[in-house]
Every structure is written in C-alpha cells, then in structure tokens.
Amino acid sequence: MRKKLYLLCGINSERKLIVDLLAILFGIGSWLGINSVYVQLPLLVGNAPEGWNLPSYLVVIIQLGNIGPILYTAALRIKSFRDSYLIIGLLVLGSCAAMTTGFVYDQTVHVFGAERSVPLFISVFALSLVGCTSSVLFMPYMGRFKDIYLISYLIGEGFSGFMPSIVALIQGVGGNGECRLVNGTDPNEPPVYTSYTPPPRFGTRPYFIVSSVILAISMVAFVLLDRLTVCRREYAAVSIGNGNNYAYEPSTPNDEETRSAADTTSQKVKASLDRTNYLLMMVLISVMCLFGNGFFPSIQSYSCLPYGNIAYHLTVTLSSMANPAACFLAFFVQKNSIRSIVALSVVFVPFAAYALTTAITSPDPPLMHSVLGDILVVACWTLLVGFVSYIRLAITTLLRCEGGQTLVWVGVATQLGSLVGSILSFTLVNFTDTFQQYYPC
C-alpha cells in the first residue's frame, strides 16, 4: 500500500520518511533566524532610527556573516574535526541569538552623533553566522546522504522562510499608517499631524521567542539525523575525509539499483556539464543571489511601503512563502536542464525590472493609491523570489553529483553574489538620492 501511494505521488518508495522529516527540520534551522528578521521588517522600520534604510544596513551585516565560511575553510586546512559538532554549536548560537533579538530589537546606542540600532545589529550578525555558514557546511553535510534527501533538506531550507511568514501573518501588521491631528482645533495655530499605525496582534518579542524555539527543535533534529542508525544507513556510497571533503565510491555489483541510478546520473552530468556549462551555472547562481539575496531585499521597503504597510507586510510574508513553494515544486520535477534554467532566468528579468522601477520612482510609484497597484507589487515580489529560489535549487541539484566540494563552491558562489549585491545596494540607498522615502503626513 505504501509503495503504491509513493508511486502515485511520484516519490521514491525506498526512501525513509524519518530521514526526510529530520532533514527538513534540519534545513529549517539554516536561514530561519535571518528570515525571521526580514519578515519583521514592516514593524522594525517604523521604530528603528534608521527608518527605511534599516534593510540596507541589515543586508550588509548579514553578509559580514561570511566570516563564518572563511574561518571554517581556513580551519579545515589546519586541523581535522567533525562537522557535526560545529553544526550543533551554530544551531545553539542561532537559538540564543534569536532569543536575544526579542529583547534588544528596540534598543539604541549613540554612535557618531546619531542613534543606531547597535544591539539589533549584533544579534543579527550572530544569526547571519548561522545562515552564511550553512551554505558551506549544512548543505554539503547532506551530500553524504543519498541524493533523494538533498531535496528534503532544501525543502526545509525553504520552510525556514515559510514558518516565520505564517507566524507573521497571524501577528499582522496592524494596518496602514494614517495622519492624525495632534494640536487641537485652535484656529490661530496651524494644524499639526502625526503618522499613526495601529498595533499588531502581538509584538516583536514573542515573535522572536517562537523563532528561538524552532531553532532549538532544528538542533535536536540534526542530532538525531547524525546519530540514529536508521539515518546512517541512508548514506550514499561515499568516503568522508576532512570536514565535508568526500568522494562518491563506485557501486558494488550487488547493489544494482544504486549502480543503475549512479550510472544514469553520471551519464547526464558528463553529457551536459562540461567546463563551460559548469562555470555558467556558477555565474548564474551568483547573479541570482546578487539580486535575490543582496540587492532587492535592501530596496524592498522603497518599492512596497508607498503602497502601505499592509502591502509591504503581504509582500514580505508571501515572498518568504514563495521559497518553500519553489522547493516543493522541485520535489516533483525530476529533471532539470541547463536550457530550462537559462529560460527561467530570462523570465525572471521583467519581474526584476518592475520591482526596481517601483523602488526608483518612490515616493510616487506606478498605480499608487489603487488596489491594482497593491496587487501588482505583491505579486511581482512573490514571483521574483519564487524564480530566484527555484533557479538556485535547480542549479544546486544539477551540480550535486559533482561531489561534496562542488556543493561547497556552490555555497561560495551564493555568498559572493549576495555580498556584491548588498554592498551595491547599501551604497545606492545611503549615499545617493536614487531612492526616496514616502511620508504620509
């Protein structure tokens, strides 16, 4: 019965669902902390002294978390150690940092003549260490399992954005800002208005406490994934060296199914991934991350907030949901080709152009103060993130059979593109007049 159900759903009947579940929970811990911060931006930008520029600061701080992958790579050259211990330590750090964020997000420090959200920046940096290092540690760790479980991990990585979004939808954003008269009705005084935004159902502190608990659950799931015998039996034919440096071993004659699958995959990779195509995929995933992870998150407030807090809130939450939706779609799409990946990248361009246009034309973007404008900006950003997520996943699964070190280079390309995008956006947002803030009053 179970095999028939799996065949009906297009799922491999030989996979262990407990490994799938633990891989998903493990993947959730990768970027959940950072995604929690992004999803809270509609509430954070209203209170932070940086205002609409806060996302550009956070994107740069998140990219500073790339010191984690650098230190990890350097450590591998000095000493041999088990990756599992480092992964556990990072997930514990993420859980503690998320808890801390809930208590310091509204604290400021006077720096260089202005108030800055320094405590928030420090806690976000700790969360970024987990996310950035996961690209070169968590995902390559999953490479030692059979390839069917890499998709499960990536679905979990997608859920690291979906779960904070669900909590944020329940939380709400209160409503759009409105102008309120504050100086009475004295005809001899000019009217003075202030912007007022209704409060959400619950505050930012409970939100981050929930995120901290989820990260703790992810840590427990990884311990089980690493230690349970049933999980170890799902390793691929692989020899594990220092860190995540491992190589797939030839299948034995008795393992007909594994040999057949490996031969088929090897033929596909050798037929399509020559050096030119290999470099093309690396460059393409860097470009996708440059825009999707580095540049566009910094300007999202300028693109969406002129349409109102509700539009911004929906954009952030639905965009985060688009990530796991794209990963879930890939769960059923068994074949990815270079041609289809390039085609999807071309389709990505008009959505990126519209998002950029709305940000540049702020504070008076197209179709402002209309329902159609709200729908278009929310739909555009949701599809934009969905395309980036699916293309990144498609490239990752296509390159997976190149071995563990290839997944490390995929992580490097991902973070390099994100870093360049964050520096570019920070410069444009904070040192030029390219993007203008909208003031309702």
Side-chain angles (χ1 to χ4, degrees), residues 206-238:
Y207 177 89
F208 279 108
I209 291 175
V210 172
S211 298
S212 176
V213 172
I214 296 174
L215 279 163
I217 294 174
S218 179
M219 184 271 293
V220 173
F222 172 74
V223 172
L224 296 176
L225 184 67
D226 186 60
R227 301 298 175 86
L228 290 180
T229 303
V230 67
C231 297
R232 290 177 177 268
R233 290 173 181 167
E234 295 304 297
Y235 279 10
V238 60

Side-chain angles (χ1 to χ4, degrees), residues 1 33 42 49 59 63 69 80 93 111 118-119 167 171 179 181 202 209 234 266 283 292 329 397 402 424 426:
M1 174 63 75
V59 167
Q63 295 310 313
S80 176
L93 172 64
V111 179
V118 175
V167 178
Q171 178 189 31
C179 292
L181 186 65
F202 57 87
I209 291 175
E234 295 304 297
S266 177
V283 171
L329 175 63
T397 54
E402 294 291 309
L424 175 62
F426 182 83

Side-chain angles (χ1 to χ4, degrees), residues 14-20 22-23 82-85 87-88 141-147 149 221-240 249 255:
E14 297 302 319
R15 68 194 308 145
K16 301 295 183 182
L17 290 183
I18 182 64
V19 182
D20 282 309
L22 293 176
R82 288 190 61 181
D83 284 356
S84 58
Y85 295 146
I87 293 174
I88 293 172
Y141 173 89
M142 290 303 302
R144 66 191 66 191
F145 287 87
K146 296 175 182 177
D147 58 357
Y149 297 111
F222 172 74
V223 172
L224 296 176
L225 184 67
D226 186 60
R227 301 298 175 86
L228 290 180
T229 303
V230 67
C231 297
R232 290 177 177 268
R233 290 173 181 167
E234 295 304 297
Y235 279 10
V238 60
S239 61
I240 303 172
E249 299 174 348
D255 194 354

Side-chain angles (χ1 to χ4, degrees), residues 100-170:
T100 302
T101 304
F103 291 90
V104 303
Y105 72 91
D106 55 352
Q107 304 297 314
T108 61
V109 176
H110 196 76
V111 179
F112 300 120
E115 293 294 324
R116 297 295 180 192
S117 304
V118 175
L120 174 63
F121 294 161
I122 294 174
S123 63
V124 170
F125 173 73
L127 292 171
S128 71
L129 284 175
V130 181
C132 293
T133 309
S134 72
S135 296
V136 297
L137 184 60
F138 290 20
M139 185 169 61
Y141 173 89
M142 290 303 302
R144 66 191 66 191
F145 287 87
K146 296 175 182 177
D147 58 357
I148 55 177
Y149 297 111
L150 179 61
I151 295 293
S152 301
Y153 167 81
L154 291 172
I155 289 175
E157 192 174 280
F159 270 106
S160 68
F162 181 81
M163 295 186 70
S165 299
I166 292 296
V167 178
L169 285 176
I170 298 172

Side-chain angles (χ1 to χ4, degrees), residues 176-441:
N176 291 328
E178 58 185 46
C179 292
R180 287 190 171 184
L181 186 65
V182 295
N183 67 330
T185 57
D186 189 344
N188 297 322
E189 296 182 3
V192 177
Y193 295 91
T194 186
S195 178
Y196 170 77
T197 302
R201 294 185 181 91
F202 57 87
T204 298
R205 181 170 299 170
Y207 177 89
F208 279 108
I209 291 175
V210 172
S211 298
S212 176
V213 172
I214 296 174
L215 279 163
I217 294 174
S218 179
M219 184 271 293
V220 173
F222 172 74
V223 172
L224 296 176
L225 184 67
D226 186 60
R227 301 298 175 86
L228 290 180
T229 303
V230 67
C231 297
R232 290 177 177 268
R233 290 173 181 167
E234 295 304 297
Y235 279 10
V238 60
S239 61
I240 303 172
N242 186 20
N244 55 32
N245 185 10
Y246 50 82
Y248 296 103
E249 299 174 348
S251 302
T252 61
N254 294 330
D255 194 354
E256 182 176 351
E257 181 180 354
T258 303
R259 185 179 70 254
S260 175
D263 290 344
T264 302
T265 304
S266 177
Q267 290 173 4
K268 290 179 180 178
V269 171
K270 290 180 180 178
S272 59
L273 292 183
D274 54 22
R275 182 176 178 82
T276 300
N277 288 328
Y278 182 90
L279 293 175
L280 172 63
M281 292 297 100
M282 287 294 184
V283 171
L284 189 56
I285 197 171
S286 293
V287 172
M288 288 293 107
C289 291
L290 185 152
F291 288 105
N293 297 344
F295 186 81
F296 282 119
S298 298
I299 67 171
Q300 193 174 51
S301 56
Y302 291 93
S303 172
C304 303
L305 269 176
Y307 295 95
N309 290 335
I310 295 178
Y312 186 27
H313 177 67
L314 287 175
T315 297
V316 170
T317 52
L318 294 180
S319 295
S320 296
M321 292 180 179
N323 190 321
C327 294
F328 188 74
L329 175 63
F331 189 85
F332 296 98
V333 177
Q334 301 298 324
K335 296 181 180 180
N336 286 301
S337 65
I338 294 177
R339 182 175 297 180
S340 64
I341 291 172
V342 172
L344 288 174
S345 302
V346 173
V347 176
F348 160 86
V349 173
F351 294 99
Y354 185 79
L356 182 60
T357 299
T358 56
I360 291 177
T361 55
S362 176
D364 188 24
L367 300 175
M368 186 177 174
H369 302 304
S370 71
V371 176
L372 179 60
D374 296 353
I375 294 174
L376 284 177
V377 75
V378 172
C380 174
W381 277 97
T382 303
L383 292 172
L384 184 70
V385 174
F387 276 118
V388 171
S389 301
Y390 186 86
I391 292 170
R392 175 176 173 266
L393 175 59
I395 295 174
T396 301
T397 54
L398 194 64
L399 294 175
R400 184 258 178 196
C401 292
E402 294 291 309
Q405 287 301 300
T406 293
L407 290 180
V408 173
W409 284 113
V410 168
V412 170
T414 296
Q415 296 307 322
L416 181 61
S418 301
L419 176 62
V420 173
S422 66
I423 294 174
L424 175 62
S425 61
F426 182 83
T427 303
L428 291 176
V429 169
N430 293 281
F431 299 104
T432 71
D433 296 328
T434 305
F435 304 100
Q436 299 291 328
Q437 184 170 341
Y438 168 75
Y439 296 96
C441 298

